[in-house]
Every structure is written in structure tokens, then in C-alpha cells.
Amino acid sequence: MMSNCNNGGCSGCSHSGNCGHAQKPVDFKIYPHETTKIKKIVGVVSGKGGVGKSLVTSMLASEMARKGHKVGIMDGDITGPSIPKYFGLKGNATSNSEGKINPVITENGIKVMSINLLLENETDPVVWRGPVVAGVIKQFYQEVLWEELDYLFIDLPPGTGDVPLTIFQSLPLDGIIVVTTPNELVEIIVKKAVKMAKLMNIPVLGLVENMSYLKCPDCGEEIPIFGESKIEKISQDLNIKTFSKVPVDPKISKATESGKIYEVKENFLYDIVDRIEIL
């Protein structure tokens, strides 16, 4: 088919859409192994590091497993992996005859894949540039034998850079949870993360404020040791209705250090869990 295309635009052209002049949008989506069937994928993000994103991921996954769901965690924080530590996972993941990777299963039945489960030594640094890191994350989704899962939680690296962008564009996220702390600077960065998600048309399911308070063991008073909580204000500003608070609690610290985060029975994240279950 010939046309008198002058590259001046396709509007009003009788051959619009058939001449090849219009550029098709790029599809970045990737797909898992043929044996994998994941019902819902939830990302856990933060605008900056050190706010407890991996802790929240581990607690959410453990609570969902406790409710009887089939759960997996993909540790997308390639240069700073924490998930194996929270669950006391040691050693290396194995692969099948096709070279596909078997996730390591925690004591409470959660399937986990992390770069630390592939390194010879868990303290070896991962000194890779962004495109390589993004490629590994894609491999974790495509080449790990997740099989059937009700929920796959992805612990994303902090910030709004190349790797989170790759995950937002490539994986079929059903929504994200944003983790923050009671800190004025973090409030600004959280809003950046939320706005990035909205730009990518990914629903923000809720906010979690970690280290929100310390409960006095004698009187039960909630003491805001890191400053007054800002989670309600941030939620209102961003029109996000669901939020939860996680306290500074010695039981959480002890469970983390012993690699048994699943032994924390208090459901500090019940509002977030309820929101995820109705996806």
C-alpha cells in the first residue's frame, strides 16, 4: 500500500495505522516459567534505604503464610539482600536439569529467591552496574520455579532509579506497599515513590510506618522515640486509605537476629494484610 506520507503526522491520514509510520509502544513485560502460576504480585518499596523494607516484606509474607496462603518472596535488592537473614536461610539454591532455579523454602513454607542464595559466600559484595542487576531480577522472575503461588512479594531496592523502574515496567505488579519511618525527610521521599508508582499506573495498596513507636512495658504508653508519627498525614495528603504502624519491639529484633521472623505472632500489619487479601 502506497501513501503520500510526508512525516507530518498521522492525524487525518486515510492510511493511519496501516503504513508502519506510527511507532508502536514498547512492551517491556516479561513472563515466568511455564510451570509458574502466580495469582498476585505485590512489591514492597521505599524511597530510601534503612527504613525496614525487608522486615516488612518478611512479616507480610509470614502473616499470609500463617493464613494458609502459598507465598513466595523475591529479594530484588540485589546489592543489599536481607531476606535470607530474616528467615535463617543458609547455603545455595539448586537448579534442575534445564538450568532452572529451585527457590529455597523457609521453615514456615515460604519460597525464597535471593542473590545471597547463589553466592559462594554471603558476605561477597555484588559489584554490578544497574543493567546487570536489572537482568538478574528478570531472571529471578523468569527462571525460578515458583510453581503455584497465591502471593509473590518482591522486596525492591530503595529509591526510584533504574532497577525499581525495570520491575515496575516488566513485572505484572498488582500493587505496592510503601514503607517509611517517622521522619520529615522520609516523608518527602515517600511521596516521590508514591508518585512514581502512580506515573506507572501501579496501585498503592497502603503505607507502613516502621519504628513508629516504643511501647512502655510498664504502663503501655506509646512513646514516639523517632519523632511524632506522620503516617496519617501522609496518607491523607496522598489519598491512601490503608496504613499500618510497626513498633520498635525487642521481640522483632530477637526474631530477626535468630533468623525466625515468622515467630513474631503480633499482626502489626493487619490493615495492610486485609487490603492485600481483597486484591
Side-chain angles (χ1 to χ4, degrees), residues 20-249:
H21 175 62
Q23 185 177 4
K24 295 181 179 179
V26 178
D27 184 7
F28 293 99
K29 295 296 182 187
I30 60 174
Y31 302 92
H33 189 267
E34 59 185 10
T35 63
T36 293
K37 293 178 176 60
I38 302 171
K39 293 180 181 177
K40 301 294 179 182
I41 302 178
V42 177
V44 182
V45 309
S46 64
K48 67 184 295 294
V51 300
K53 173 178 49 61
S54 298
L55 171 66
V56 170
T57 303
S58 301
M59 292 177 69
L60 280 174
S62 295
E63 186 60 33
M64 293 305 242
R66 194 175 293 120
K67 284 174 164 283
H69 298 296
K70 297 177 181 177
V71 181
I73 299 177
M74 191 173 90
D75 191 351
D77 197 350
I78 303 299
T79 59
S82 302
I83 298 298
K85 171 65 177 175
Y86 285 113
F87 290 94
L89 300 178
K90 299 287 185 180
N92 295 108
T94 60
S95 58
N96 67 7
S97 58
E98 298 176 353
K100 304 303 179 184
I101 307 169
N102 297 305
V104 177
I105 301 177
T106 68
E107 256 188 63
N108 61 331
I110 296 173
K111 295 180 178 180
V112 174
M113 179 46 55
S114 170
I115 194 67
N116 260 16
L117 300 174
L118 299 175
L119 298 176
E120 184 174 344
N121 190 322
E122 65 178 10
T123 60
D124 289 344
V126 177
V127 189
W128 297 338
R129 295 191 183 275
V132 178
V133 173
V136 171
I137 290 174
K138 289 181 178 181
Q139 284 183 299
F140 280 0
Y141 183 63
Q142 292 180 301
E143 299 184 19
V144 171
L145 301 174
W146 295 108
E147 298 180 329
E148 291 191 16
L149 292 178
D150 295 317
Y151 297 97
L152 176 64
F153 290 94
I154 302 178
D155 182 10
L156 277 75
T160 57
D162 182 57
V163 176
L165 177 62
T166 295
I167 295 173
F168 281 9
Q169 289 181 320
S170 302
L171 275 62
L173 292 174
D174 293 282
I176 63 167
I177 305 298
V178 182
V179 183
T180 181
T181 57
N183 177 288
E184 192 71 37
L185 173 62
V186 173
E187 177 183 355
I188 297 171
I189 298 173
V190 164
K191 290 181 178 180
K192 289 180 182 289
V194 170
K195 289 179 181 179
M196 176 184 178
K198 289 182 177 180
L199 282 173
M200 306 295 294
N201 295 317
I202 296 174
V204 179
L205 305 177
L207 306 178
V208 176
E209 185 175 73
N210 187 34
M211 298 180 280
S212 184
Y213 59 88
L214 172 68
K215 181 172 284 191
C216 176
D218 295 324
C219 67
E221 180 186 357
E222 294 183 0
I223 306 168
I225 57 176
F226 293 116
E228 293 296 329
S229 174
K230 296 178 177 62
I231 195 73
E232 293 184 46
K233 179 182 180 299
I234 296 174
S235 298
Q236 290 174 357
D237 290 348
L238 298 173
N239 195 28
I240 298 171
K241 297 180 180 179
T242 307
F243 62 86
S244 294
K245 298 179 181 179
V246 178
V248 176
D249 191 320

